[in-house]
Amino acid sequence: MRIAVIGLGQIGMGVCRLALQGGHEVHGYDVATPESATLPAGLVLADSPAAAARDSDCVLLAVFDGAQALEVLRAILADAAGSQVVAVLSTVTLETMREADRLVSGTGVRVLDCGVSAGTAFQEGAKLALAVGGEQAACERVRPVLESFGDPVVYMGGLGSGMAAKLARNLMHYCSGLADWESASLAARAGVDVNSFVEFIKAAELKGKGHMRYVRATADGGLEDDGLPPNSYARKDLRAALDLATELELDLPAATLAAGIFDGLAEG
């Protein structure tokens, strides 16, 4: 298929490389002209988003934010043939996707929201995980393109559902990152070797099914489901950790918030 990639940063350039390896014809555009040494063989550079998208079956937007995505979409629509599928790879708000849908209404162009995850995988030549939302027929039409750089490509449902899944995944990533930082800081402040702590945590997560057990349980109805520790255990353990943090003069805002939430669950 002929595809266009608008935005040739880490994600866009990785998409270009894998799509070319998959046998697709790839045209690209970026506001900053990339250095020729960084361009994969076969990539055709265009002088505008509309020129890159012209006659393409699928247009992939890998720009910074929603405002840029809508700006590019308007430029493409001014020159579109009316049968393209435009997939937004950028992490944007659902309102951005709704506005994109309004812009293409009546044109024959279809838009998909395509949440991409694990962008650093491109640095190792691996594919990304994709969560796709929008018209299923449009998703299936460009699935060969999506599968050239995505594995798995998971169809999530109607427009916005792919981006909602990506935003929820990012929420997990950043909140878990804060929890990881607090946990490691508490262990280190208490004199625990961090490398030994990591070894212990990896083994414990493997045996205890990891954080995903909490995701499955909360999706099914709450923190008490799926054999999870009852609130009394959570409250006891969190308070003991916070007592240690106080003794070590360490501020743990995420743990403090979690303790308050579990206290509220017990009271409610």
Side-chain angles (χ1 to χ4, degrees):
M1 301 178 77
R2 173 169 170 155
I3 71 173
V5 180
I6 312 300
L8 300 177
Q10 177 182 323
I11 297 297
M13 198 66 81
V15 168
C16 289
R17 287 194 187 93
L18 291 179
L20 285 164
Q21 291 174 17
H24 301 289
E25 178 185 347
V26 184
H27 295 245
Y29 172 80
D30 196 280
V31 290
T33 303
E35 297 181 8
S36 57
T38 66
L39 298 177
L43 175 62
V44 180
L45 286 182
D47 58 8
S48 71
R54 191 175 300 127
D55 299 323
S56 294
D57 302 295
C58 180
V59 182
L60 303 166
L61 305 188
V63 295
F64 176 67
D65 59 14
Q68 290 182 1
L70 293 174
E71 179 183 356
V72 171
L73 181 59
R74 291 187 181 97
I76 291 171
L77 289 173
D79 194 46
S83 60
Q84 296 164 317
V85 175
V86 178
V88 180
L89 308 185
S90 315
T91 302
V92 300
T93 65
L94 267 63
E95 178 53 36
T96 295
M97 292 310 308
R98 288 190 283 266
E99 176 62 18
D101 195 44
R102 287 191 286 268
L103 287 174
V104 303
S105 178
T107 67
V109 173
R110 297 290 183 266
V111 291
L112 299 173
D113 49 292
C114 186
V116 302
S117 191
T120 54
F122 274 161
Q123 298 172 358
E124 302 171 0
K127 296 183 178 183
L128 304 181
L130 306 187
V132 185
E135 185 181 285
Q136 188 167 12
C139 176
E140 295 308 315
R141 195 195 319 170
V142 297
R143 183 174 284 275
V145 171
L146 300 179
E147 289 183 341
S148 70
F149 65 90
D151 182 26
V153 176
V154 184
Y155 178 69
M156 308 301 293
L159 188 74
S161 58
M163 202 57 60
K166 172 63 187 297
L167 294 174
R169 191 270 172 186
N170 281 6
L171 176 67
M172 180 191 298
H173 175 73
Y174 294 121
C175 290
S176 295
L178 178 57
D180 292 346
W181 181 86
E182 289 193 2
S183 300
S185 297
L186 180 63
R189 186 71 66 89
V192 174
D193 175 73
V194 174
N195 290 328
S196 299
F197 178 67
V198 170
E199 181 182 356
F200 168 65
I201 290 299
K202 288 170 67 175
E205 287 292 286
L206 183 63
K207 294 178 182 297
K209 300 181 182 179
H211 288 95
M212 290 307 297
R213 67 185 296 219
Y214 288 93
V215 174
R216 295 189 185 97
T218 51
D220 289 339
L223 291 169
E224 298 275 7
D225 292 345
D226 195 31
L228 294 176
N231 289 340
S232 56
Y233 282 93
R235 297 172 70 202
K236 170 182 69 71
D237 293 349
L238 285 167
R239 287 300 167 193
L242 287 171
D243 287 347
L244 178 58
T246 299
E247 178 184 330
L248 298 173
E249 298 182 343
L250 181 64
D251 184 29
L252 301 180
T256 301
L257 176 62
I261 291 173
F262 275 101
D263 284 345
L265 289 173
E267 294 169 2

